[in-house]
């Protein structure tokens, strides 16, 4: 089920350095979206910027509110941050394949790098078990996205910052390593979910392989349409002999980490 | 409004219910857009370019946005002729619109083989011959930049098919009229233009091309004036119908091409931005005709005034 709609912006608020939480009204998308799926937003009114931009869905609220966490990184997001409540926004979605949810017995471990928290918050909201743990890495303390920004949900969390201004000083993958060492979980009782910069995802994928933990990652790609028509958003999968391209928009954006060829440029 | 304007146009032997066609490479196999629009409303749609064997396409990044446009270097990724005929076509057969198949070969003979394989196949209304893809190493645009080779490919396809043949022209030439005339003489029933303009973009931080393929094809509103002038030139050169395309986003853009003499238009990049662009343009054309009291859209086609400025 996908919809193309002119929605109303309910809020668009600053929640951390260059980071915003956008709330748009769409009963249909809120009802059909699953964690890991995304929407394409048409930010510009005219021909520049021309293309829609993909954004992970970060959650839903009150049956008709779709939440989108985003970071200002370029022309499109710079324009988006200027939009105010009451303005209209053309939305296409929900799109793509989302996360497979963990079993009731599994402990969900969520690993996020920066704005990579976006789809994982939605996942945590949906799983809604008290043993969900999220590890979040940010550059510095002013970039930290508070977990309660999405509303009230119970989750155990730990934070790392690159510059050591908050929590663990270093990489979020170090938090994951410590966590995997410290606990006596059986690998089959764990389920990893991750989203963030590629080097981080690559490291998470390696650790999942070492510890035999199933790991799903949400991948980012430049795309024009979001619905399988432009064929622009490919990611290499498989080994060298069986190498093939998968489309991030419709085969993903969520993949099992072992499906991806992490050595591609 | 009491009267309903007639939007029907003819592309050689092919009658379209309206002059709006979804362009190859921007509309998947049509099915992708079915959840958002009624395909039966379209004049026609052209499926992603098909080759004899499946193609994986180019490595990423394949697309990059540029001012008022985008560069793509998909590399003709497609499922191949066999899978298309087996898996996709049966789902398109019952549509009340024309399905046009875009074909791409590595050699003149391959074009002939593809045309032959589509001969007599039910549910395919016409063949569009891609002699202008800028993004593949072997052939592609090379066919479309030489009048003699363009003619050879056209002749081969015409000999091997029972369907109307549209030849899609490249703008990456010194004089597009020479190619248009050559394919007309070789038996093409229509020409469509323009395919994308070759271009590139550079990442100044990494000092690398933004596309893995280095160059790509520029599309979108950025190329519209170039496309429009080429259509204008070709309309005055050949007698066969001209299908215009290049950065058409809305009804007003489509009208520019029709007034310049295009018998129909193709809508490409706009499908990515606004998935219902094609049907929005059709209703826009209907409204325009109603408002202007135009009963038949053919009254607009080629109505460009040149003398009374």
């Amino acid at each position: 089920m996908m919809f193309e709609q002119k929605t109303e912006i309910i809020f668009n608020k600053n929640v951390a350095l260059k980071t915003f939480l956008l709330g748009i009204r769409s009963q249909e998308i809120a009802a059909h979206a699953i964690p890991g799926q995304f929407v394409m937003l048409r930010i510009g009114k005219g021909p520049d910027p021309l293309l829609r931009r993909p954004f992970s869905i970060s959650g839903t609220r009150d049956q008709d509110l779709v939440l989108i966490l985003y970071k200002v990184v370029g022309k499109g997001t710079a324009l988006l941050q200027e939009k105010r409540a009451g303005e209209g926004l053309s939305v296409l979605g929900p799109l793509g394949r989302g996360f497979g949810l963990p079993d009731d017995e599994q402990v969900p471990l969520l690993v996020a790098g920066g704005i990579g928290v976006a789809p994982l918050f939605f996942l945590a909201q949906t799983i809604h078990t008290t043993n969900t743990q999220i590890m979040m890495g940010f550059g510095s303390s002013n970039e930290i996205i508070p977990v309660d920004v999405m509303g009230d949900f119970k989750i155990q969390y730990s934070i790392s910052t690159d510059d050591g201004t908050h929590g663990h000083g270093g990489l979020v993958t170090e938090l994951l390593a410590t966590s995997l060492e410290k606990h006596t979980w059986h690998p089959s009782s764990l389920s990893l979910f991750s989203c963030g910069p590629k080097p981080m995802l690559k490291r998470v994928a390696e650790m999942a392989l070492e510890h035999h933990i199933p790991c799903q990652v949400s991948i980012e790609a430049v795309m024009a349409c979001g619905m399988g028509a432009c064929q622009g958003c490919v990611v290499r999968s498989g080994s060298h002999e069986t190498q093939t391209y998968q489309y991030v928009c419709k085969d993903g954006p969520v993949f099992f980490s072992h499906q991806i060829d992490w050595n591609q440029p | 409004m009491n009267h309903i304007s007639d939007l029907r146009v003819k592309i050689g032997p092919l009658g379209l219910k309206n002059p709006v066609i979804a362009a190859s490479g921007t509309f998947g196999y049509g099915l992708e857009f079915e959840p958002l629009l009624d395909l039966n409303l379209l004049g026609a749609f052209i499926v992603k370019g098909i080759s004899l064997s499946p193609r994986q396409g180019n490595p990423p990044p394949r697309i990059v946005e540029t001012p008022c446009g985008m560069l793509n270097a998909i590399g003709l990724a497609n499922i191949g002729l066999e899978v298309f005929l087996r898996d996709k076509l049966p789902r398109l057969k019952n549509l009340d619109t024309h399905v046009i198949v875009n074909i791409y070969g590595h050699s003149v003979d391959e074009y002939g083989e593809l045309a032959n394989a589509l001969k007599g196949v039910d549910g395919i209304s016409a063949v569009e011959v891609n002699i202008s893809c800028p993004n593949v190493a072997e052939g592609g645009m090379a066919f479309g930049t030489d009048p003699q080779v363009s003619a050879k490919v056209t002749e081969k396809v015409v000999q091997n098919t029972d369907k109307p043949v549209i030849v899609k022209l490249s703008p990456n030439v010194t004089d597009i009229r020479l190619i248009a005339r050559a394919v007309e003489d070789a038996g093409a029933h229509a020409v469509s233009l323009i395919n994308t303009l070759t271009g590139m973009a550079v990442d100044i931080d990494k000092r690398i091309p933004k596309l893995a393929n280095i160059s790509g094809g520029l599309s979108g509103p950025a190329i519209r004036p170039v496309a429009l002038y080429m259509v204008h030139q070709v309309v005055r050169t050949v007698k066969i119908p001209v299908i215009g395309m290049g950065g058409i986003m809305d009804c007003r853009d489509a009208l520019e091409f029709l007034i310049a003499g295009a018998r129909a238009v193709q809508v490409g990049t706009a499908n990515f931005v606004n998935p219902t662009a094609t049907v929005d343009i059709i209703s826009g054309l209907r409204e325009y005709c109603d408002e202007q009291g135009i009963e038949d859209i053919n009254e607009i086609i080629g109505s460009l005034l040149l003398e009374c400025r």
Side-chain angles (χ1 to χ4, degrees), chain B residues 9-26:
Chain B
V9 295
K10 288 205 86 178
I11 307 294
L14 194 66
L16 308 187
K17 64 175 85 172
N18 63 62
V20 180
I21 304 170
S24 177
T26 65

Side-chain angles (χ1 to χ4, degrees), chain A residues 27-64:
Chain A
Q27 213 168 25
E28 291 79 8
I29 296 174
H32 289 88
I34 61 165
Q37 286 190 305
F38 66 101
V39 291
M40 296 290 285
L41 302 183
R42 180 154 190 205
I43 298 165
K45 283 196 172 70
D48 202 29
L50 179 67
L51 301 173
R52 288 171 183 264
R53 297 289 192 272
F55 294 90
S56 283
I57 300 170
S58 308
T60 59
R61 197 186 288 168
D62 305 331
Q63 267 108 60
D64 67 351

Side-chain angles (χ1 to χ4, degrees), chain A residues 71-108:
Chain A
K71 186 150 194 172
V72 177
V73 293
K75 195 153 69 174
T77 42
L79 270 176
L80 185 58
Q81 70 160 343
E82 282 167 18
K83 299 214 180 262
R84 298 283 167 262
E87 284 186 57
L89 190 61
S90 169
V91 182
L92 178 68
L95 301 164
R97 273 180 16 169
F99 290 108
L101 298 183
D103 299 339
D104 285 344
E105 305 85 55
Q106 284 179 319
V107 177

Side-chain angles (χ1 to χ4, degrees), chain B residues 51-307:
Chain B
S51 48
L52 275 179
S53 319
R55 290 178 60 100
Q56 291 205 351
N58 289 330
R62 289 179 175 182
I63 50 178
V64 57
E65 184 167 324
T66 54
C68 300
M70 61 179 278
L71 285 166
N72 87 79
I74 307 302
L76 287 168
N78 80 95
I79 55 178
L81 176 71
E82 199 186 315
V83 179
F84 170 72
L85 293 177
R86 192 190 66 207
D87 296 349
K88 302 290 181 186
L89 190 61
R91 297 165 67 189
L92 304 173
K93 270 184 181 163
N94 295 324
L95 292 172
D96 180 26
T97 184
H98 291 296
V99 177
I100 299 173
V101 176
N102 181 288
I103 58 169
Y104 162 75
H106 296 97
S107 63
V108 174
D109 286 340
E110 256 192 51
Y111 280 100
E113 257 183 87
L114 277 157
N116 197 47
L118 299 175
K119 196 190 220 164
V121 175
D122 215 22
I124 299 172
S125 299
V127 173
E128 185 181 58
V129 188
N130 183 1
I131 54 166
S132 47
C133 180
N135 298 324
V136 287
E138 68 295 307
M141 197 165 70
F143 291 108
T145 52
D146 181 314
Q148 281 171 334
V149 184
S150 300
K152 247 188 211 161
V153 173
T154 306
E155 211 171 73
K156 195 76 176 178
V157 173
V158 171
Q159 282 166 0
N160 281 281
T161 187
D162 53 351
K163 301 182 191 300
V165 174
I166 303 162
V167 181
K168 188 168 180 176
L169 304 184
S170 171
N172 303 302
V173 292
T174 323
D175 188 347
I176 197 166
R177 291 172 298 186
L178 299 179
I179 314 284
R181 199 176 289 131
V183 304
E184 178 184 43
D185 290 345
H189 298 93
V191 285
S192 54
L193 61 139
I194 59 173
N195 204 327
T196 55
L197 283 154
T198 306
M200 83 182 273
V202 170
D203 181 329
I204 59 166
D205 296 319
K206 296 182 188 155
R207 299 191 190 179
I208 55 169
K210 285 188 177 176
L211 293 172
N213 189 54
I214 301 175
S215 68
L218 181 64
S219 66
I223 70 167
R224 193 192 309 134
V226 177
L228 192 58
Y229 183 55
M230 288 194 177
V231 166
H232 169 78
Q233 284 182 302
V234 171
V235 161
R236 274 152 186 77
T237 304
V238 297
K239 292 191 182 70
I240 52 176
V242 173
I243 303 170
M245 77 187 103
I248 296 175
M249 301 300 286
D250 57 30
C251 166
R252 298 178 65 86
D253 302 340
L255 282 164
E256 283 196 74
F257 281 82
L258 295 174
I259 291 168
R263 195 73 62 84
V265 294
Q266 288 186 24
V267 178
T269 301
N271 295 315
F272 300 150
V273 182
N274 171 18
T276 60
T278 45
V279 293
D280 292 350
I281 291 171
I282 294 164
S283 43
L285 288 177
R286 189 160 283 131
E287 272 168 41
Y288 176 85
C289 288
D290 284 351
E291 279 166 20
Q292 304 275 322
I294 294 161
E295 284 178 15
D296 182 343
I297 195 142
N298 289 287
E299 292 170 32
I300 300 175
I301 293 169
S303 63
L304 183 71
L305 303 172
L306 293 172
E307 279 83 34

Side-chain angles (χ1 to χ4, degrees), chain A residues 14 20 29 50 59 71 76 87 99 107 110 117-119 142 147 158 160 170 172 176 184 188 205 211 213 217 260:
Chain A
N14 189 208
F20 291 78
I29 296 174
L50 179 67
K71 186 150 194 172
E87 284 186 57
F99 290 108
V107 177
L110 283 46
V117 298
N142 58 356
V147 287
S158 48
S160 71
V172 70
L176 176 62
T184 52
S188 67
H211 291 86
I213 307 168
V217 293
I260 305 296

Side-chain angles (χ1 to χ4, degrees), chain A residues 10-23:
Chain A
I10 306 302
F11 53 78
N12 188 17
K13 55 189 182 195
N14 189 208
V15 294
L17 181 71
K18 289 186 175 178
T19 310
F20 291 78
L21 180 66
L22 173 73

